Amino acid sequence: MVLTRGDDFPIHQTSEPIAYAGTDRNFYDRYFFNGYAYEGELFFAAAMGIYPHLNIADAAFVVVRGGVETALHASRWLGMERMDMSVGPISIEVLEPLNKLKLKVEAPDKGIRAEIVFEGRSFPIEEPRFIRRNGPRTFMDYTRLTQNGRYTGWLEVDGKRESVDGFVGTRDRSWGIRPIGARDAQELAPPQPGQFFWIWSPSNFPDGSFFFHTNDDGAGEPWNRRAVWARDGSNAETHSEIKDSEVSIDWKSGTRHAKGAVVRLKDASGTREITFEPLYEFYMLGLGYGHPKWNHGGNHGELAVEREDLKLSEVDPRQPQHLHVQALCKVTYKGPDGAEQVGRGVLEQLAIGPHEPSGFKQMLDFAP
């Protein structure tokens, strides 16, 4: 048995010390942030993952500006201490649970520094529990809270400091089971073709936040979908959920990235449309998603830190590690009465394998 700082808080979920998270080696606990202004191209993102059974923690901080995606990757041995929310130069501090968090990056030797505070616009939404199995094997089983907010602070890359005061964006917290670390050496019997379709589109408007996501199967049927409007200051009881929602995507030729998308909502008041117009793609491998080296839960030793610069114009979007993106978008809301308001948000996309409404039939074919 191992006692750690978490054991002095009333947060236990099993009869064991906090250092032990059930029995599944793929258990994880994760933070995510993105931020952007209503105008301009500057974008930042950050993530931190804790993997108790692998005894690993990793984190990343990304800045996109001038057509370059600059990522700081960090990984360390966890030492079974889950209450230490720092990985080398990247740290997260919870200032006010479910409302206010602080992100700090101090890597002057890599040319990257930041001190940023997130404050929620409303109470977080709880997305429906994500449970998916491949045959008998659990592929994912997790819960996520998502919250839009406003930022204060600054970031600095190569000596150029920029304020993020007035930026908006999204943070989430998820925990549970998803594939992490080294891939399982033994494949399923019989082998099953891969398929995963994911759209996530949190958006910020002057007086509130819009949330839509969908996980579809190969036929285009959603197995996890939700649409929510959260007015500033609303809570779990006063968030507005729209049961009837759908999304249509116009794919860029030769890719699995969206040229545009429209989410349609239907209720007693009529039909509303939220239109997404991408400005550019942020490649999620900057935060470790699908990264050939800095994948989530990878073992890089006691501590490892590395900077990576990616010129967006030189990225091949057909490569598997470049499929997963968040597109920074102009977002337009059109109500049943025709009234419009304009905001900003992201359109996260990951489409692997067949998806009938998109015309994808194979593991990795592309839009005509």
Side-chain angles (χ1 to χ4, degrees), residues 299-362:
N299 186 357
H300 298 274
E302 188 171 1
L303 176 66
V305 181
E306 183 176 279
R307 172 172 167 167
E308 181 179 36
D309 292 278
L310 191 69
K311 193 170 182 179
L312 299 182
S313 63
E314 297 178 355
V315 173
D316 181 357
R318 299 166 65 94
Q319 295 299 311
Q321 69 267 29
H322 297 149
L323 292 178
H324 195 178
V325 298
Q326 284 189 354
L328 181 63
C329 294
K330 174 186 175 183
V331 187
T332 304
Y333 169 92
K334 184 177 181 180
D337 59 356
E340 293 187 354
Q341 59 173 314
V342 177
R344 261 207 178 177
V346 297
L347 185 69
E348 183 173 333
Q349 311 144 55
L350 177 57
I352 299 172
H355 187 251
E356 187 175 321
S358 299
F360 301 141
K361 296 179 173 61
Q362 301 173 17

Side-chain angles (χ1 to χ4, degrees), residues 106-174:
E106 191 61 39
D109 59 319
K110 306 295 184 185
I112 303 172
R113 302 176 66 226
E115 190 164 319
I116 298 169
V117 173
F118 170 96
E119 186 164 1
R121 301 184 63 172
S122 61
F123 193 80
I125 69 164
E126 180 182 339
E127 296 177 355
R129 184 172 171 180
F130 293 80
I131 302 177
R132 192 71 169 170
R133 291 181 175 87
N134 292 332
R137 187 177 299 177
T138 300
F139 174 61
M140 57 174 56
D141 180 2
Y142 68 90
T143 295
R144 176 165 50 215
L145 65 85
T146 303
Q147 183 178 37
N148 278 4
R150 297 183 175 91
Y151 289 99
T152 56
W154 53 269
L155 58 82
E156 183 179 294
V157 178
D158 295 332
K160 183 179 180 181
R161 180 173 294 196
E162 297 188 69
S163 172
V164 299
D165 290 354
F167 274 42
V168 291
T170 306
R171 69 106 176 184
D172 73 37
R173 277 274 295 115
S174 66

Side-chain angles (χ1 to χ4, degrees), residues 121-252:
R121 301 184 63 172
S122 61
F123 193 80
I125 69 164
E126 180 182 339
E127 296 177 355
R129 184 172 171 180
F130 293 80
I131 302 177
R132 192 71 169 170
R133 291 181 175 87
N134 292 332
R137 187 177 299 177
T138 300
F139 174 61
M140 57 174 56
D141 180 2
Y142 68 90
T143 295
R144 176 165 50 215
L145 65 85
T146 303
Q147 183 178 37
N148 278 4
R150 297 183 175 91
Y151 289 99
T152 56
W154 53 269
L155 58 82
E156 183 179 294
V157 178
D158 295 332
K160 183 179 180 181
R161 180 173 294 196
E162 297 188 69
S163 172
V164 299
D165 290 354
F167 274 42
V168 291
T170 306
R171 69 106 176 184
D172 73 37
R173 277 274 295 115
S174 66
W175 58 93
I177 296 164
R178 65 166 65 163
I180 56 172
R183 184 173 177 173
D184 196 322
Q186 181 167 326
E187 298 293 341
L188 281 171
Q192 294 187 4
Q195 193 279 330
F196 191 75
F197 184 89
W198 170 243
I199 298 293
W200 189 66
S201 58
S203 306
N204 285 271
F205 293 91
D207 62 346
S209 303
F210 175 66
F211 303 92
F212 172 83
H213 77 264
T214 188
N215 271 127
D216 293 0
D217 64 18
E221 293 297 321
W223 56 266
N224 193 305
R225 177 178 290 184
R226 195 181 189 200
V228 175
W229 172 260
R231 191 169 295 279
D232 282 3
S234 63
N235 56 34
E237 288 71 38
T238 56
H239 292 339
S240 176
E241 183 168 2
I242 302 92
K243 298 292 186 181
D244 189 350
S245 61
E246 63 182 26
V247 61
S248 59
I249 300 173
D250 182 15
W251 299 98
K252 295 180 186 176

Side-chain angles (χ1 to χ4, degrees), residues 1-8 12 15-21 52 55 78-82:
M1 306 291 275
V2 176
L3 295 178
T4 62
R5 280 179 281 174
D7 289 302
D8 218 11
H12 293 84
S15 59
E16 294 192 287
I18 287 294
Y20 302 110
N55 209 23
L78 181 62
M80 301 182 76
E81 181 53 82
R82 295 168 66 184

